[in-house]
Amino acid sequence: MKTTLLSVGLFAWLVSLVSATALTYKIQANERACFYTTPHKQGQKIAFYFAVQSGGSFDIDYEVTSPSDKIVLNGEKERQGDFVFVANELGDYKFCFNNEMSTYSEKFVDFEIAVEDEVRAQLPAKQGSSPEQTGALEESIYKISGLLSTITRNQKYFRTRENRNFSTVRSTESRIVNFSLVQIVMVIAMGGLQVFVVRFFFQGARKGYV
């Protein structure tokens, strides 16, 4: 029971070391949107993930700059990205999305910014337990944490694919409806034209008989 409580306590402590912000933002056409995060000390790792869920060709321009305005990461017309870099400066790191390439398409972007601290906890030694047992428990907790991170990333990936496929289906459905309406209008127009031509011939034939 004590081992279980110790494991839960360590896992909760690990979770508290990660400060994350996950958002879904709608970027209008010709818009540039920026978000900020501030590491508490040098050497912390900053994880940055984004994925375009819908809109246009599912692409976006992005740029990450340091507090001294140095470009850390950038890219053009990217559908998604997953990066980790070390914060060597203190201050506000800026994460910008640029949709100025689109003239009318708005886009939904899922993104997450997480500041991670890799300081490991010192497990309290329990009476009757060896350092090897404590170390094995600690490594097991870190393995579980890594597996949970992998599961989370896979869930984000499948969610992105689902949203993109749904957006494609919705776009295809809209095109089919519009094409069907055009066909209906053309059939009605052709029917009206045929009636007009038939009436014109009959009226001409009657005039000939008279």
Side-chain angles (χ1 to χ4, degrees), residues 24-29 51-61 77-80 98-99 101-110 160 162-171 175:
T24 299
Y25 186 77
K26 181 171 72 172
I27 301 181
Q28 302 291 342
V52 182
Q53 302 293 333
S54 64
S57 299
F58 307 104
D59 56 357
I60 197 77
D61 297 343
K77 296 183 178 180
E78 298 286 345
R79 292 191 168 193
Q80 64 185 59
N98 191 348
N99 195 29
M101 59 182 172
S102 297
T103 55
Y104 61 90
S105 297
E106 60 184 23
K107 299 175 182 178
F108 283 88
V109 179
D110 249 1
T160 299
E162 180 184 5
N163 289 337
R164 288 177 180 173
N165 291 337
F166 178 75
S167 179
T168 302
V169 170
R170 186 169 52 187
S171 175
R175 293 178 182 179

Side-chain angles (χ1 to χ4, degrees), residues 155-182:
Q155 287 178 335
K156 291 178 181 178
Y157 170 74
F158 286 117
R159 179 187 175 190
T160 299
R161 289 195 59 181
E162 180 184 5
N163 289 337
R164 288 177 180 173
N165 291 337
F166 178 75
S167 179
T168 302
V169 170
R170 186 169 52 187
S171 175
T172 304
E173 180 183 5
S174 176
R175 293 178 182 179
I176 292 174
V177 170
N178 293 335
F179 184 72
S180 299
L181 292 176
V182 171

Side-chain angles (χ1 to χ4, degrees), residues 42 48 73 93 151 163 176 210:
Q42 291 183 348
F48 175 49
L73 299 167
Y93 281 79
I151 292 173
N163 289 337
I176 292 174
V210 172

Side-chain angles (χ1 to χ4, degrees), residues 1-16 121-126 129 133-145 148:
M1 181 63 180
K2 290 183 179 180
T3 303
T4 303
L5 291 176
L6 185 61
S7 302
V8 174
L10 177 60
F11 185 73
W13 186 82
L14 286 174
V15 173
S16 66
Q122 297 295 327
L123 294 179
K126 190 178 66 171
S129 64
Q133 292 175 338
T134 304
L137 176 61
E138 183 180 357
E139 291 300 326
S140 298
I141 294 296
Y142 274 95
K143 286 181 180 179
I144 293 174
S145 177
L148 288 176

